[in-house]
Amino acid sequence: MALSKLQDDYILEVQNVKKYFPIKKGIFSKQVGAVKAVDNVSFQLRRGETLGVVGESGCGKSTMARLIIQLLKATEGRIKLEGKDLTAISKEELRATRRDIQMVFQDPYASLNPRWTVEKTLLEPMKVYNIGTKSERKEKVADLLNKVGLDPSYAKRHPHEFSGGQRQRIGIARALVLNPKVIIADEPVSALDISVQAQVINLMQDLQEQYNLTYMFITHDLSVCEHISDRVAVMYLGKIVELASKDQLFSNPLHPYTLALISAAPEVNAGHKRERIILKGDVPSPANPPSGCAFHTRCPSCMEICKAETPALTEKEPGQFVACHLYQ
Amino acid sequence: MNSNILEVKNLKTTFSSRKASFNAVDGISFHVAKGETLGIVGESGCGKSVTSLSIMGLVKPPGKVSGDQIDFNGVNLLNLPKREMRNLRGNKISMIFQEPMTSLNPVYSVGEQIGETLKIHKKLKGEERKRKVVDLLKQVGIPRADEIYDNYPHQLSGGMRQRVMIAMAMACDPQLIIADEPTTALDVTIQAQILELMKDLQSKKGMSMILITHDLGVVSEVCDRLIVMYAGKIVETGPVKEVLNNPSHPYTKGLLASLPKKGHKEKRLHFIPGQVPAPANWGKGCRFSDRCPYTMSQCETSLPPLMKAGEAQESACWLIPDEEGSTHNGFIEATR
């Protein structure tokens, strides 16, 4: 991939974004604390790349996705699409810009309207944005269904008539209707069986090439992440702990959490037994995160400084960023 | 002396409605040896969960279990009276379910729930029961076991809840544990903890285990032997190492090839075209024939039985006898 050429062509910039959800108590709903779902996160998406985001449940990866498509308002920070700050523009402008970022959801059973035919689902965005004439729209629907590997005659069917893999294809077609530039995919293949998962991953890669799409691919499956991503961000308790190119991250992981995550993933490898790092304990609650480095309670190489100071995300190797006191 | 704790012969589980009936599990036979971990893998709808429910006697109407035998330690579970089955269940055979939140009762403390098993099967009372429960909680690695005893399921994290489920399954020192997707709902680092715990407890107590999963990675790390199911049938079985290193059924090969692999650079993933057929569309022939790259005319007309495909490996595929065939080997090369 000609990444070096695209090096600084950022399509999406996320700068110091925070999202705190207030915790309220009592009859006057007094705020007693906050869940720091996303806590000071910055990263960029380069045009045409796939950024994989991995992390465990509750680490803030889905909140991040919702912040980017403006389904949630960030508490602080900027989110810029091609230089335009989505957190500061007017409602009308946001409406016009929104079509450039689309989302593919995890559960294809829950994210399609069961009462709508596939055609209605795919026509709706074009109606909302007043695109084309009636016949042009119908043509586009047939064309899209073809592109995602479904027969155009399926247009009149309802979601319940399809299998999980086919529904996810419809979800992808819906995301493509408005010719977006960026697609945020939140666990798009987690609900699918292995053989179908491979079909959908291949489809997403083909479409990326065809339409020059930029992907943010959220997943908890490291092997899927390694397969599809150009760069990978690892999140833990609302923060990015490591951000690097796929090769750097998987061949030379720096952060102890990344190491543990990679070694914990079960692998089909009937040959030799691997040395495994098994983390103790659970992920702490984001409502009451540990002091200092949020990972210090489970970290095998925790030092005194880790309990007091939060490490900043710094560039350790060219292109490889890590937030850990071991490398500061 | 029989070294097998469980022997299943020609198990069929039928679900019928007024219009039609189909066998979710369609005549499968297998065994579990003492102290062994058997993995059952397959995609959704292949009948792996129904198999486990059939063994436990938990299939509800309109489902009906039939077949030749489910022999557990010399007792045929198929025609066991309900009362005796109830004595076995949770006592000699127990089960760990996928979703600990839905399989624990939200209105009883975890201590009470684990204790119930001991109350029914071991007739333990009061302090003695509590001591045993706290001991079990400690064994499954729960910190502050005395406090957790009085906690309710919603107060615990997913990993902790699954530990409680394991403690409950282990309470009466069963001879066989059936774990149905025990780690699917958990995060990777927690999954690693739970798998480690299950392996550890199993070797300490010498139990046998059936692990049902769709994750070939989990099977590779935990199991001794493996059964691959497809559309209600066993398509391949054998020692884990052999099946995963040298799969002989085209479906197993396809599954393994579909997994994204570490360090591989290919842009495209191998995939199995099409989808699992619905029971109504199971033809007379091999149920994988419409997705198989090697379908021959024979495959469409007759269902292949399990045939010897290696030292301890068996595979249900008409290609097996001519193992030396060029297409066959060519496929192995292509998917490696």
Side-chain angles (χ1 to χ4, degrees), chain A residues 1 55-58 61 162-164 166 192-199 201-203 205-206 208-209 220-224 226-227 246-247 250 257 260-271 273-274 276-283 298, chain B residues 42-45 48 157-160 184-193 195-196 199 214-218 220-222 240-242 244-245 251 254-256 258-276 291:
Chain A
M1 204 148 293
E56 298 180 276
S57 30
K61 41 192 204 307
F162 294 93
S163 70
Q166 287 174 321
L192 306 177
D193 278 319
I194 308 169
S195 66
V196 180
Q197 169 180 309
Q199 295 174 7
I201 292 175
N202 281 342
L203 170 70
Q205 287 183 310
D206 291 346
Q208 179 170 37
E209 238 161 71
H220 67 273
D221 186 329
L222 285 162
S223 48
V224 169
E226 181 176 2
H227 178 83
K246 166 178 82 181
D247 295 335
F250 284 96
Y257 179 63
L261 210 55
I262 292 175
S263 95
E267 222 183 308
V268 179
N269 182 355
K273 288 275 166 236
R274 296 166 299 128
R276 248 186 162 172
I277 306 165
I278 295 196
L279 290 179
K280 292 202 180 64
D282 286 317
V283 182
R298 303 172 79 197
Chain B
E43 297 180 283
S44 14
K48 50 190 197 304
S157 67
M160 292 288 244
T184 309
L186 305 176
D187 283 317
V188 220
T189 59
I190 308 297
Q191 166 171 288
Q193 289 174 359
L195 290 178
E196 202 68 13
K199 270 199 282 188
H214 66 274
D215 190 331
L216 289 162
V218 170
S220 151
E221 308 226 340
V222 181
V240 166
K241 269 187 194 170
E242 279 157 51
L244 295 184
N245 284 335
Y251 176 63
L255 268 191
L256 282 165
S258 307
L259 290 174
K261 276 164 223 74
K262 266 191 182 167
H264 275 228
K265 299 282 176 207
E266 298 107 29
K267 187 94 174 86
R268 287 185 68 84
L269 285 171
H270 173 89
F271 66 96
I272 306 176
Q275 48 190 307
V276 184
R291 303 173 78 190

Side-chain angles (χ1 to χ4, degrees), chain B residues 17-165:
Chain B
S17 66
R18 236 175 299 166
K19 282 184 194 152
S21 80
F22 71 92
N23 296 338
V25 175
D26 198 8
I28 66 169
S29 306
F30 63 92
H31 68 273
V32 185
K34 281 202 173 106
E36 173 185 58
T37 304
L38 173 75
I40 303 184
V41 294
E43 297 180 283
S44 14
C46 73
K48 50 190 197 304
S49 291
V50 175
T51 303
S52 67
L53 294 177
S54 305
I55 297 170
M56 295 290 285
L58 291 175
V59 174
K60 285 186 192 140
K64 208 177 157 324
V65 183
S66 59
D68 296 349
Q69 65 162 19
I70 302 177
D71 181 296
F72 175 72
N73 251 351
V75 185
N76 189 357
L77 303 184
L78 270 180
N79 31 27
L80 206 62
K82 264 192 181 159
R83 178 185 293 271
E84 282 176 49
M85 190 66 216
R86 223 180 290 151
N87 282 337
L88 271 182
R89 206 188 292 135
N91 191 10
K92 299 277 182 252
I93 314 179
S94 57
M95 192 152 175
I96 300 171
F97 295 92
Q98 168 171 0
E99 194 19 275
M101 194 60 212
T102 49
S103 34
L104 288 171
N105 191 330
V107 299
Y108 287 99
S109 74
V110 297
E112 278 175 84
Q113 292 188 57
I114 300 170
E116 191 189 1
T117 328
L118 293 166
K119 181 170 133 196
I120 292 169
H121 294 297
K122 298 280 183 225
K123 310 275 183 285
L124 292 185
K125 287 197 180 80
E127 272 307 300
E128 196 190 353
R129 187 160 83 214
K130 181 164 182 183
R131 229 178 303 125
K132 172 83 180 157
V133 171
V134 170
D135 186 49
L136 278 165
L137 287 171
K138 280 183 188 152
Q139 277 182 40
V140 295
I142 288 183
R144 299 178 289 112
D146 297 315
E147 287 169 49
I148 302 289
Y149 181 94
D150 293 316
N151 277 13
Y152 290 87
H154 74 269
Q155 293 171 295
L156 305 177
S157 67
M160 292 288 244
R161 276 183 223 136
Q162 200 54 291
R163 283 173 197 268
V164 169
M165 286 294 292

Side-chain angles (χ1 to χ4, degrees), chain B residues 284-303:
Chain B
K284 260 192 286 173
C286 171
R287 284 163 192 173
F288 188 58
S289 60
D290 60 331
R291 303 173 78 190
C292 181
Y294 308 109
T295 307
M296 308 173 290
S297 56
Q298 189 183 7
C299 303
E300 276 154 25
T301 52
S302 59
L303 193 68

